[in-house]
Every structure is written in structure tokens, then in C-alpha cells.
Amino acid sequence: MDAGVIGTGVMGRNHVRVYSELKEVGTTYVYDLNTKAAEEVAAATGAEVCRSMEELLRKAECVSVVVPTPYHLRTAGEVIAAGVHALIEKPLCLTVRECEQLIGQIPDGLTVGVGHIERFNPVVTEVARVVQNPLYVSFHRHNPASARVSGSSVVEDLMIHDIDVAFNVLFPGREYTVHASGTGDVAAALAAFGRTPVYLSASRKSSKKVRSIYIEEEDRTIEGDFMTQEVYVYRKPEAYGQENGLYRQENIIEKLLVNKVEPLKIELSTFIRAARDGKPFTVTPEQGLSNVRVCEEISRSLAA
């Protein structure tokens, strides 16, 4: 299939690069209001520049919408109206109301998905495979400030990745409560699914980049690093106590075999296949809406 990318920011450039590398893709087209930026990306990847949205939507069979979030509703709406399959970078739209409006425009038979990239991280796949009965879950996603981010809080920018994993992978469809505190740059939220607490922290003030998940179960602890794509399982201590005045603990530690891949490459190839076969994308617009709804609940707590 021929693919298109609307927007040539940092993420848009990555979409063009990956589409250009995928065997499932014929020609990759790119459009941006900044024609010079689009030409630079095309020169580096072999993509073809389109001079208008209309031209791109005539040529591409599926499109990534990678424009700033305030323009998602309008831009994705044009793609959908043209009958072109769309992958919309997270968040789906700026507000719950906009998400609902966009979902109402999607006709039957059109594949529309949301680009929650961590869903395609092999760490999430492996954790989802082994987890059984979580008693406690925590996510940490801390980052130095990024010049590319503007107009959104740390909740919509960073925490939303872990919201998607918690609410749609670990506890899908479960009733929950959520409380939060912090600012637009540093935030922590405590959700509860029944009696299981789920702690989510996100920061744009960190001097160290952290992307982690930690799960406690009755007889083991599961720990994953989204960046190194490593997952460890710690079994209950075989020996635990004091010896010569010092605490002594012996654990069985299992390192799970994780097939390390570029999540964006898996995400876009999955989108291409879903569009080709007329099937839903892994992250549905309805899930994208629910993620934005949780973000709004957390943001209200921050503002309280």
C-alpha cells in the first residue's frame, strides 16, 4: 500500500523513515505546511513531497496524522472524509468532546487507529503474557524537558502512554477511581482497580530518563524497562532473615527472553496490514477516547 505522513516534526520524520523501510509499503508521500521541512525529510528517506493535503489524500491509501494535537480533529477529519485509512498519533484529540466528534465521523469499513507506541513495545507484550493477579502496579516515566513539546501537560505528553497500558492492557474494562497531584510538568496519579492500586508518575524535570513498569504478585515481582526492553521476574526469597547482625536474602531472578524491536516499526506495519485487510487497528479510537477521558480526570485533580 502507498502510505502518507502529514506533519514533519520529530515524530512525523520517524513515521516517514519507517514507512520508507517497510516492505509492505510502496511509495511514501509526505506533506507539511512547511514545504522546505517536507523536502528535507523526503531527501533523506526517498519519500515524495505532496504540495497539498488534497494531493496526498489522492495518492496515499493510508495516512499517519502527526500534527500538533490541537489540529487532530480537523486534519484527521479531512483524512476520514476522503475515505483514507488513518493512524492518529496520541492523543486521539485535544479533549473528550473532540474525540467523540471525530469518532462520530468514522464510517464502517475504514481502519482508524491511535498511535500509542508503547502498546507495541515488546516489554508490554511480555508483561501482558506473564502477569496473572497484580496486587500492586507502578509506572515511572520521567524525562528531561523537550523543546518539541508545547501546549500540553506532562499527563497528555508522557503519562498517557502508561495510562493506555494500565487501563487497556492490564485492567481492560474495569471500574476504577483515580486521584492525582502535581503540576503541568511533574504529576503523580493513584488509580485503583478494585483493591489493586496503580501508581503512575511522570515528569519533564528529570535529569535522568526513566521508563519503567513494576508489578507485585503474591509469589513474584515483575519489573520491566521500556528503553532497554528487558523484563525480570523475581521469585519469593528462598532465604530471608538476619545472619551475624546483617540481613540476608536469596532470590531467584529470571530474565525473560524479549525480542528487541523498534516499536514504531511494529506499530506501522500493524497499521498497514489492518488497513489492507479491512480490520480494526490494535489501539481503537474508543480506547484512545478512554485514555483522553482518564487524562482529563487527572488534570482536574491537578487543577483542584
Side-chain angles (χ1 to χ4, degrees), residues 81-93:
V84 177
H85 305 291
L87 178 66
I88 306 159
E89 261 302 322
K90 65 83 186 170
L92 175 59
C93 285

Side-chain angles (χ1 to χ4, degrees), residues 54-66:
E54 291 74 20
E55 180 187 353
L56 181 137
L57 294 177
R58 283 197 309 271
K59 293 181 174 180
E61 298 167 87
C62 52
V63 167
S64 285
V65 177
V66 201

Side-chain angles (χ1 to χ4, degrees), residues 236-256:
K236 278 283 190 182
E238 293 295 315
Y240 181 77
Q242 275 192 327
E243 189 174 292
N244 297 325
L246 299 174
Y247 280 102
R248 174 174 171 270
Q249 178 175 330
E250 294 178 0
N251 285 79
I252 297 173
I253 304 174
E254 177 186 359
K255 182 178 181 181
L256 302 185

Side-chain angles (χ1 to χ4, degrees), residues 120-123 126 229 256-262 266:
F120 302 88
N121 192 313
V123 167
E126 196 62 26
Q229 297 185 353
L256 302 185
L257 182 62
V258 177
N259 182 27
K260 296 186 179 183
V261 296
E262 182 182 1
I266 303 301

Side-chain angles (χ1 to χ4, degrees), residues 110-152:
L110 195 68
T111 298
V112 178
V114 188
H116 281 279
I117 192 170
E118 291 290 33
R119 188 79 77 89
F120 302 88
N121 192 313
V123 167
V124 172
T125 305
E126 196 62 26
V127 167
R129 183 184 69 83
V130 301
V131 72
Q132 294 175 354
N133 185 27
L135 304 177
Y136 170 80
V137 180
S138 68
F139 294 90
H140 298 280
R141 189 168 295 265
H142 295 228
N143 212 46
S146 173
R148 72 175 179 84
V149 177
S150 61
S152 63

Side-chain angles (χ1 to χ4, degrees), residues 149-170:
V149 177
S150 61
S152 63
S153 79
V154 72
V155 177
E156 296 86 15
D157 177 26
L158 295 179
M159 189 182 287
I160 193 171
H161 288 291
D162 300 318
I163 288 170
D164 179 61
V165 175
F167 285 73
N168 293 309
V169 178
L170 297 181

